């Protein structure tokens, strides 16, 4: 009877049948991709609420007109800066809240979820910006001035001067989701099997 063959030095152990991972991630990746699309849409739609709150909370820019021109009532006023700051803070809060909601929904991270939260946050910020301007005073300043008459103070249109504030939502959402996943996400089991790559394999005793 022949003795069992000895494996070559430094040769990794044979993988069991069916252990090869699907390069595309398999059903789990497809499920995360579908969930990512739904999350991006849900986050983007919530931008309408951002626009409503921005139009409600942002300070108004007072204008006044004579028979020919329209002027700022307070030339040293900071209402325009206040509108940008209000949008930034609201977008930052929406980023944190949506990240927490996504983490509670999935209890884990993953590239598809992070990307979905970033894309949805950017779309939501843009939608909130457009919604807030639509709900605010009319952008047609000349027509508004003619409507109220000379010497009457009226509110100027709601505008976002610092377009970089649109990134507050996606950046805050990504950072919060990554932090939550690192702090409270699932951990690998401590007793996980570690493959032996030393090449020293115990062989069963040869049959006599």
């Amino acid at each position: 009877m022949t003795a069992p063959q000895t494996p070559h030095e430094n040769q990794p152990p044979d993988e069991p049948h069916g252990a090869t991972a699907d390069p595309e991630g398999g059903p789990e990746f497809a499920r995360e991709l579908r969930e990512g699309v739904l999350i991006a849409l849900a986050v983007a739609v919530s931008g309408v609420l951002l626009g409503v709150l921005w139009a409600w909370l942002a300070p108004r820019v007072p204008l006044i007109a004579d028979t020919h021109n329209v002027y700022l009532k307070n030339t040293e006023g900071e209402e325009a800066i206040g509108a940008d700051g209000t949008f930034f803070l609201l977008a930052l809060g929406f980023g944190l809240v949506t990240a927490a909601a996504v983490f509670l929904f999935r209890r884990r991270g993953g590239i598809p979820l992070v990307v979905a939260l970033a894309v949805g946050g950017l779309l939501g910020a843009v939608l909130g910006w457009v919604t807030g301007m639509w709900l605010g005073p009319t952008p047609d300043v000349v027509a508004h001035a003619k409507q109220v008459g000379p010497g009457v103070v009226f509110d100027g249109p709601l505008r976002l001067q610092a377009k970089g504030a649109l990134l507050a939502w996606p950046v805050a959402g990504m950072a919060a989701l990554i932090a939550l996943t690192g702090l409270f996400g699932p951990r690998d089991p401590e007793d996980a099997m570690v493959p032996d790559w030393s090449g020293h394999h115990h062989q069963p005793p040869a049959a006599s």
Side-chain angles (χ1 to χ4, degrees):
M1 180 177 295
T2 60
Q5 296 180 355
T6 304
H8 298 291
E9 289 286 333
N10 300 327
Q11 181 178 354
D14 295 335
E15 295 183 357
H17 295 290
T20 303
D22 186 352
E24 297 297 332
E28 178 67 18
F29 181 83
R31 183 170 67 87
E32 287 189 353
L33 191 60
R34 290 193 299 269
E35 289 180 350
V37 173
L38 294 177
I39 287 172
L41 292 176
V43 172
V45 171
S46 65
V48 175
L49 180 59
L50 170 63
V52 172
L53 292 176
W54 184 44
W56 179 35
L57 298 174
R60 295 292 187 262
V61 178
L63 302 177
I64 191 170
D66 55 20
T67 56
H68 297 91
N69 299 305
V70 179
Y71 307 93
L72 287 171
K73 183 177 185 298
N74 301 320
T75 55
E76 297 181 357
E78 298 180 353
E79 290 83 3
I81 299 177
D84 289 358
T86 302
F87 185 93
F88 177 83
L89 293 177
L90 287 173
L92 189 67
F94 270 72
L96 298 177
V97 171
T98 51
V102 169
F103 179 76
L104 292 176
F105 173 68
R106 287 288 283 119
R107 288 290 183 181
R108 60 182 300 177
I111 295 178
L113 296 182
V114 175
V115 173
L117 189 60
V119 173
L122 182 58
L123 294 176
V126 174
L127 183 59
W129 171 36
V130 175
T131 302
M133 291 192 302
W134 179 71
L135 293 176
T138 176
D140 193 345
V141 176
V142 175
H144 198 177
K146 291 180 179 179
Q147 179 182 3
V148 299
V152 178
V153 178
F154 62 97
D155 293 332
L158 184 60
R159 293 174 179 171
L160 185 64
Q161 305 293 340
K163 300 301 188 295
L166 296 172
L167 299 177
W169 187 341
V171 171
M174 287 192 301
L177 182 60
I178 293 174
L180 289 172
T181 303
L183 292 174
F184 307 107
R187 298 288 191 274
D188 294 331
E190 295 181 356
D191 58 346
M193 297 297 296
V194 179
D196 183 11
W197 300 101
S198 63
H200 302 290
H201 306 287
H202 298 288
Q203 299 298 325
S208 57

